[in-house]
Amino acid sequence: MVAGGVYTAVAFVQRSEVLITERCTAAGGGSAELATDQAANAGLITAVAVRRGLPARAASIALATAMQESKIRNIGHGDQAGPDSRGLFQQRPSQGWGTAEQVMDPYHASNAFYDALVKVPDYQTLEITDAAQRVQRSAYPDAYAQHEVMARSFASSLTGQTAAGLDCRLRDADAAGDPATVQERLTSDFGAVPAATEGGTLVLEAEGDRAWAMAQWAVANAKALSITEVQAEGRSWTRQDRNGWQASEVPAGQVRVTVAGAPAQ
């Protein structure tokens, strides 16, 4: 009977895992939801803005644009923008955005978008849809407006302006993570960050908005990078608990990102 009870409990847990709808939500200027792959791309787009020292408004404009153009997915085919349009922003090599390979590189594509955005006079005071249209010159100039709440919510959290604003509900990790891989990805997006490794935990030196930007970037990338816990500024996000950000005794000036160990055989 005991063995049968254990089997039943394990089967229940397994079914419960399958039933979980994986998603990420963000608060800050509203509330919105993205799929996990979209959230990871939003994290990269926003990290590039942080790295460049741009305001959260720039990230909001970029996210609204990417949602309209590609659903924030790095798609390798064109749409109404043109047969050669590609990537997160559906940029066209024929229009000077870079080579076909470059516009499919999310980091290049994000920088190219911001390069154009910062040339728009007073873009920070424009409506998001107006600023986006001046960069994209879309045939549907008003379409970006429908994504403003999502864009503000994720930009506010991912730039660190809204602390503990981003939460991802995920199933248990099915593969081991690697702190070195997390550091490589984070450095690619944010630039060099002082860091050390303690076992399965990457320890980053950061505080304030920057700490929250990196912490919530880690949550947005938790599925792909097998991240199980993120700690920052007295709060922690734990993948298995699925209770959002909770109080934690993480030391000041640190962001701690812990990855999953090898799954049990």
Side-chain angles (χ1 to χ4, degrees), residues 4-212:
V6 171
Y7 174 81
T8 300
V10 171
F12 175 76
V13 170
Q14 290 174 338
R15 287 198 302 273
S16 297
E17 283 286 303
V18 171
L19 291 172
I20 290 171
T21 300
E22 296 188 306
R23 64 187 186 278
C24 295
T25 57
S31 179
E33 181 178 302
L34 291 176
T36 55
D37 64 320
Q38 293 173 307
N41 285 328
L44 182 148
I45 292 168
T46 306
V48 173
V50 172
R51 182 173 184 172
R52 293 174 62 129
L54 298 176
R57 185 70 169 180
S60 295
I61 296 165
L63 292 179
T65 302
M67 175 57 82
Q68 175 60 28
E69 300 294 350
S70 71
K71 303 298 182 186
I72 322 186
R73 292 189 165 106
N74 197 34
I75 55 179
H77 56 80
D79 62 4
Q80 68 269 18
D84 66 333
S85 58
R86 298 288 188 275
L88 290 171
F89 297 93
Q90 287 292 281
Q91 293 160 335
R92 300 182 64 184
S94 63
Q95 299 297 319
W97 289 101
T99 66
E101 182 179 4
Q102 285 176 326
V103 298
M104 281 298 296
D105 174 2
Y107 187 78
H108 171 90
S110 298
N111 269 305
F113 179 85
Y114 290 127
D115 285 345
L117 179 64
V118 297
K119 295 176 183 177
V120 175
D122 302 318
Y123 76 87
Q124 294 186 55
T125 61
L126 296 175
E127 292 294 330
I128 286 177
T129 192
D130 292 338
Q133 172 61 9
R134 295 194 190 188
V135 174
Q136 298 294 107
R137 295 182 171 85
S138 169
Y140 305 93
D142 299 323
Y144 305 104
Q146 63 189 310
H147 308 300
E148 289 188 11
V149 172
M150 177 283 300
R152 286 197 302 268
S153 298
F154 276 87
S156 184
S157 293
L158 288 166
T159 60
Q161 287 197 344
T162 297
L166 189 144
D167 179 30
C168 291
R169 181 177 174 83
L170 306 172
R171 303 183 189 106
D172 291 346
D174 56 8
D178 180 8
T181 301
V182 176
Q183 183 176 3
E184 180 182 358
R185 287 278 301 276
L186 187 141
T187 300
S188 175
D189 290 2
F190 284 97
V193 179
T197 301
E198 298 178 1
T201 299
L202 178 66
V203 182
L204 306 164
E205 295 181 21
E207 57 186 2
D209 287 358
R210 186 167 178 79
W212 278 113

Side-chain angles (χ1 to χ4, degrees), residues 205-253:
E205 295 181 21
E207 57 186 2
D209 287 358
R210 186 167 178 79
W212 278 113
M214 290 190 292
Q216 294 181 110
W217 173 96
V219 173
N221 283 275
K223 180 176 174 63
L225 298 176
S226 293
I227 293 169
T228 57
E229 184 176 26
V230 182
Q231 296 174 289
E233 302 284 299
R235 305 290 290 276
S236 68
W237 172 91
T238 304
R239 180 180 186 138
Q240 194 168 28
D241 287 349
R242 305 186 182 101
N243 290 319
W245 291 88
Q246 304 294 316
S248 173
E249 294 184 0
V250 60

